Structures are given as structure tokens and as C-alpha cells.
Amino acid sequence: MRAVQVLVFVATIGGVGTALSQEQSATPDYLQWSHAHAERIGQAARVTGRVGGVFDFRVVHTEHSYNYKLRATWLTGDVIRATARLQQLTDRLTDAQTEALVTEATAAGDIVMLLEVDPREGSGVIPNDWGAFLGPAGDDRHVAPGTNTPALEKAKALRGVYRRDYNYERLWVVFPSTAADGTPLFPPRARQADLTVRILNKEGHVTFPIPDPAQ
């Protein structure tokens, strides 16, 4: 009888252990990321540049900025998860609440970028006449225009991992994953992407490594 009780006890413990193991394996890895690890992922996705030249030879139209400081963050799946994880750690969110942030952000569009723009001198205002274009590096014709989507500001997992810098205006831009001719925006051999930002008659370019689709 005692031997039977021991066997039942061992089987029960084994069943509990299996259930716990299955529950742990079902938890997404990003919900275990450290604060430092999540920050590193988000920081690696941001590049900096400038829209417009270094020198200004204006005589008139000094109400316009002569150039604009630019920061661009490619909000990949990993960056979204890193941002959500930091939000979880800061606000003590449950796993379910954090996963909801990720679901909301990943539904925003094929390719989402956060642009931060700081006008230098002039009025300090970003003109409405601006645009953003994304395509493979070295190919100015195979590009897709982005769509300004201000409503994405409400998605907490699309705000990036950096603390807000109020010197910069933030713009959320969504790009399609296909070019105008219906072909994939990035051919299989492409390794780098060029982002062009135009404000009035000034342009700037920054380059990203093309993320692995699994990210």
C-alpha cells in the first residue's frame, strides 16, 4: 500500500512539473528580457542624419529652417517587443497586457518607422510639405512612399525605447512591403535600405541594414 502511495505521489509531482514546463515554454521569450537587453535592441534600430545641407546661403525665406536634424527608428517586430517589454517593467503590466501592446503595434502596417525631426533656426515648425521614401540602397527608382499616420502615436509599443526628446517632432510613417509595380520592395539579394526624407526642397538620406523577416 505504501509503495502505491509513493508511486501516486511521484506521478502527481511529475504531472505538475510537466504542466509548469509547458506553461513556461508557452511564454514568449521577450517577456523575460532584461531592461538592458530590451534597450539594446531598440537602440540598435535608430539611425541619425540630416535633411538639408550644412551651410545656409539664404537671403530671403529665413522663416524656413535651413536644415533639420533627423532620427529614424525602424520599428521591427523585435523593436516593438523590446518597447513593450520596457513598458511592462515600468508600469508593472501583466504578460497579457504586454502581449496586447505588441498585437496592437504589429497590426499598424507592413513597415513602420518613427521619424524624429528637429528644425534648425527658422520658424522651428515642420512644414506640411514633406515626404518619406523607402527602398533598397542604390536604387532610387524602386522605392515606396510612406504614409504619415499620426494616430499611431497612441500605440505605446511604437514609441521606441528612448525617452522622449521634446526638441524633436515625432512622425509615424507606414510603408508597404511592395513597390508600385507589385514586386517586393526589397529583392532577396538586398542587404541595405535607404530612407529618404524630403522637407520642402531639402532632402536627407539614412541607411539601415534590412532586418531579417523573422525579427
Side-chain angles (χ1 to χ4, degrees):
M1 183 66 178
R2 183 177 180 82
V4 172
Q5 291 176 334
V6 170
L7 288 174
V8 171
F9 175 76
V10 170
T12 301
I13 294 298
V16 171
T18 301
L20 288 173
S21 176
Q22 290 175 343
E23 182 178 347
Q24 290 172 349
S25 63
T27 302
D29 290 343
Y30 75 90
L31 294 174
Q32 306 299 322
W33 287 351
S34 68
H35 190 284
H37 182 68
E39 275 195 333
R40 283 195 297 271
I41 290 175
Q43 290 169 353
R46 188 169 85 171
V47 298
T48 60
R50 182 183 63 248
V51 178
V54 176
F55 302 106
D56 179 26
F57 300 102
R58 296 174 301 174
V59 177
V60 293
H61 300 303
T62 55
E63 73 276 11
H64 298 156
S65 299
Y66 66 87
N67 65 29
Y68 304 81
K69 290 186 283 186
L70 173 67
R71 296 169 177 167
T73 302
W74 192 320
L75 296 168
T76 65
D78 272 356
V79 175
I80 288 171
R81 287 184 281 273
T83 305
R85 173 59 175 160
L86 291 178
Q87 194 73 44
Q88 179 183 31
L89 294 172
T90 299
D91 292 344
R92 307 300 191 270
L93 302 181
T94 65
D95 286 355
Q97 290 172 320
T98 308
E99 291 187 77
L101 293 181
V102 171
T103 299
E104 174 190 35
T106 53
D110 292 346
I111 301 171
V112 183
M113 290 203 180
L114 169 59
L115 308 184
E116 298 173 88
V117 180
D118 179 17
R120 307 183 78 171
E121 297 188 11
S123 67
V125 175
I126 307 298
N128 290 329
D129 185 8
W130 67 272
F133 308 87
L134 184 67
D139 188 348
D140 292 336
R141 293 175 297 176
H142 197 76
V143 299
T147 301
N148 182 26
T149 314
L152 295 184
E153 182 177 9
K154 297 178 181 179
K156 293 182 177 180
L158 290 176
R159 296 177 183 175
V161 303
Y162 285 92
R163 182 176 297 177
R164 173 71 191 273
D165 184 342
Y166 287 92
N167 290 320
Y168 287 75
E169 183 173 342
R170 298 192 296 182
L171 307 165
W172 282 263
V173 185
V174 179
F175 298 90
S177 57
T178 56
D181 60 5
T183 60
L185 185 59
F186 299 114
R189 294 183 180 180
R191 293 293 178 266
Q192 290 188 311
D194 273 350
L195 171 69
T196 300
V197 178
R198 177 191 57 78
I199 301 176
L200 293 176
N201 60 345
K202 305 177 187 298
E203 285 193 357
H205 307 268
V206 291
T207 301
F208 292 90
I210 297 175
D212 186 317
Q215 297 178 346

